[in-house]
Amino acid sequence: MDTRYSRQILFAPIGRAGQEKLRQSRVAIVGMGALGTVLSNHMVRAGVGFVRLIDRDFVEPSNLQRQMLYDEADAADHMPKAIAAHAKLSRINSEVAIEPIVADLTAFNAEQWLTDVDLVLDATDNFQVRYLVNDVCVKHGIPWVYGGAVSATGTFTTIRPGVTPCLRCLFPEAPRPGEMATCDTAGVIGPIIHIIASYQATEAFKILIGAEEAFNPNLEHFDIWHNHHQQIKVAHARHANCPCCGQREFSFLNPDTQDGQAVSLCGRDTVQISPLDSMSLDLDALASRLEALGQVERNKFLLRFHVAPHTLVVFPDGRVLVQGTDDVSQARTLHAKYIGA
C-alpha cells in the first residue's frame, strides 16, 4: 500500500490513518457521464475500497470529448457506460472492488443501491434523480456531494443530513423543462467537468476520513470562461418546513407519486420508457423477431433496433430508449408496436 499511495500518505491531512479509512470506505456514484468518469477515477486511484457505478446509458461518440474513461472502441460497440468504466478502472487499481450497475436509478431501487455506502456522489444530469438521491440520503443519514456542470459553468455543494441544508432547502422546486441549459443545448468544455468533479472528490475524501475541520460549508459556483467564482454561504439555509429534511416526507421515494415510466431526456431527442415491475428480457429472441422489420445491432449488454428515423435501444432490464423523438406519446406508440405494450 505504501508504494501505490505514498504521495497521498505524505499529504499530512490524510496520512497513513486516513489512507486506511479510505480503504475501508464504500462510495456510490450516480451517473457515469462526464462528472462520473472523473469522480470514479479519483476514487479508484485514491484507494477507496468499494466503488459502485450506477448508469443507465451507453457510450456514444459525442461523449468522448469530455468523458475521460471511454474511447472510440467503447462508442463503436455501444458499451454501457458502467461496464466500460468498470473495465478501465479495474485495470487502474485491482485492489478496489468496483460494482457496475447498468440501470436507471428509481424509487424502486434507490434504497437498495444507496444505503449500504458511506457516501453518495452525484454525477447526474437532472434534478429529478438528484431529489431522489436527496430523499434516500436524508432518510438514512448518508452524506452526499451535489455537482453539476454545463457550458463553462459548474456548481457543487456537500449535503450532510442533520447538519447542512438538504437539496430541497436550497432548491425547493426542480427547474421546468427548458428552463436550464444542458450540455446538448449549450455545449460543455472539458475543463469545467474536471474542476467541479475534483472539488467534489476532495470533499468526498474529507468526509471519508472525518476531516470535519476542513469541510466546505458553502455552495460554490464557477464560470471559468468569464473568470467568475461565487462562494455562497448556505450553512443557515436549513428550514423546518422543508418537505424532506424538515417534515421528512420522502415523496421522491414513493413510486405512486412518480411519473417515471416514460420520460423525455432533456436535450437528447430521446424518450426513456421503463417497466413498472422488474423484468428480464431475452434480447436474442427479441433480435430474431425484429430482424425482418429493420436493422438490428446486438452486443451482450443491449440491442439497437433501427427503423428510420428512429432507433430503439433495449436493455435486458426492460428499459427502452427511443431515439429520434422527444414526444412521449410517439415513443410509447413505437414501443408498443415493436417491443410490446
Side-chain angles (χ1 to χ4, degrees), residues 92-220:
I92 289 169
N93 193 345
S94 60
E95 297 177 359
V96 173
I98 304 168
E99 181 185 19
I101 302 290
V102 183
D104 199 21
L105 190 76
T106 69
F108 295 99
N109 57 36
E111 288 185 281
Q112 174 187 350
W113 291 333
L114 301 183
T115 57
D116 64 344
V117 296
D118 304 299
L119 175 71
V120 176
L121 293 172
D122 163 40
T124 66
D125 58 4
N126 72 83
F127 265 84
Q128 296 299 318
V129 176
R130 290 183 179 122
Y131 284 136
L132 176 60
V133 170
N134 190 65
D135 270 10
V136 174
C137 290
V138 170
K139 180 179 177 180
H140 294 275
I142 299 168
W144 70 284
V145 186
Y146 155 70
V150 66
S151 187
T153 67
T155 305
F156 79 92
T157 195
T158 300
I159 294 170
R160 291 180 290 143
V163 179
T164 70
C166 80
L167 188 69
R168 294 191 72 183
C169 291
L170 301 175
F171 306 104
E173 299 292 337
R176 294 178 182 273
E179 283 186 347
M180 292 186 67
T182 71
C183 294
D184 297 273
T185 60
V188 62
I189 58 174
I192 189 62
I193 299 298
H194 288 259
I195 289 168
I196 296 302
S198 294
Y199 269 102
Q200 288 181 277
T202 303
E203 292 306 304
F205 295 157
K206 295 175 189 177
I207 290 170
L208 294 175
I209 69 171
E212 293 193 23
E213 74 287 349
F215 289 168
N216 186 338
N218 304 308
L219 185 148
E220 308 265 355

Side-chain angles (χ1 to χ4, degrees), residues 17-334:
Q19 188 62 50
E20 178 59 22
K21 289 179 180 178
L22 292 178
R23 188 186 68 80
Q24 296 178 4
S25 296
R26 297 172 60 88
V27 170
I29 301 174
V30 182
M32 284 304 300
L35 291 173
T37 55
V38 180
L39 285 167
S40 60
N41 203 31
H42 281 308
M43 295 300 107
V44 168
R45 289 183 185 273
V48 172
F50 173 87
V51 181
R52 178 175 291 136
L53 315 174
I54 305 169
D55 193 279
R56 66 190 180 187
D57 215 343
F58 58 93
V59 182
E60 299 178 279
S62 63
N63 301 148
L64 303 181
Q65 165 254 347
R66 66 199 179 280
Q67 299 185 16
M68 64 180 297
L69 287 178
Y70 310 130
D71 56 36
E72 292 178 350
D74 296 323
D77 294 338
H78 311 299
M79 291 294 289
K81 291 180 179 179
I83 300 298
H86 174 267
K88 302 292 195 310
L89 294 167
S90 296
R91 294 196 292 269
I92 289 169
N93 193 345
S94 60
E95 297 177 359
V96 173
I98 304 168
E99 181 185 19
I101 302 290
V102 183
D104 199 21
L105 190 76
T106 69
F108 295 99
N109 57 36
E111 288 185 281
Q112 174 187 350
W113 291 333
L114 301 183
T115 57
D116 64 344
V117 296
D118 304 299
L119 175 71
V120 176
L121 293 172
D122 163 40
T124 66
D125 58 4
N126 72 83
F127 265 84
Q128 296 299 318
V129 176
R130 290 183 179 122
Y131 284 136
L132 176 60
V133 170
N134 190 65
D135 270 10
V136 174
C137 290
V138 170
K139 180 179 177 180
H140 294 275
I142 299 168
W144 70 284
V145 186
Y146 155 70
V150 66
S151 187
T153 67
T155 305
F156 79 92
T157 195
T158 300
I159 294 170
R160 291 180 290 143
V163 179
T164 70
C166 80
L167 188 69
R168 294 191 72 183
C169 291
L170 301 175
F171 306 104
E173 299 292 337
R176 294 178 182 273
E179 283 186 347
M180 292 186 67
T182 71
C183 294
D184 297 273
T185 60
V188 62
I189 58 174
I192 189 62
I193 299 298
H194 288 259
I195 289 168
I196 296 302
S198 294
Y199 269 102
Q200 288 181 277
T202 303
E203 292 306 304
F205 295 157
K206 295 175 189 177
I207 290 170
L208 294 175
I209 69 171
E212 293 193 23
E213 74 287 349
F215 289 168
N216 186 338
N218 304 308
L219 185 148
E220 308 265 355
H221 179 77
F222 297 85
D223 181 338
I224 60 173
W225 197 259
H226 297 102
N227 310 308
H228 295 159
H229 172 213
Q230 276 185 293
Q231 191 173 69
I232 304 167
K233 299 186 183 301
V234 295
H236 301 295
R238 290 180 67 197
H239 49 85
N241 62 343
C242 169
C244 181
C245 68
Q247 304 299 317
R248 298 190 67 79
E249 297 172 357
F250 305 117
S251 59
F252 288 85
L253 276 171
N254 182 357
D256 294 335
T257 65
Q258 302 303 301
D259 185 21
Q261 190 179 11
V263 59
S264 177
L265 305 183
C266 183
R268 291 278 303 278
D269 199 29
T270 298
V271 174
Q272 176 177 265
I273 299 177
S274 303
L276 286 174
D277 299 309
S278 60
M279 62 184 301
S280 179
L281 280 182
D282 184 338
L283 295 186
D284 291 328
L286 180 61
S288 297
R289 181 162 59 86
L290 294 176
E291 282 173 348
L293 304 175
Q295 180 187 354
V296 175
E297 297 177 68
R298 176 83 166 87
N299 65 30
K300 64 184 292 187
F301 304 106
L302 55 83
L303 177 153
R304 288 167 57 87
F305 172 58
H306 305 276
V307 52
H310 302 101
T311 298
L312 279 65
V313 184
V314 187
F315 294 86
D317 64 0
R319 283 185 307 116
V320 178
L321 300 181
V322 182
Q323 299 180 314
T325 183
D326 59 5
D327 185 306
V328 170
S329 296
Q330 184 182 35
R332 287 186 187 276
T333 298
L334 291 166

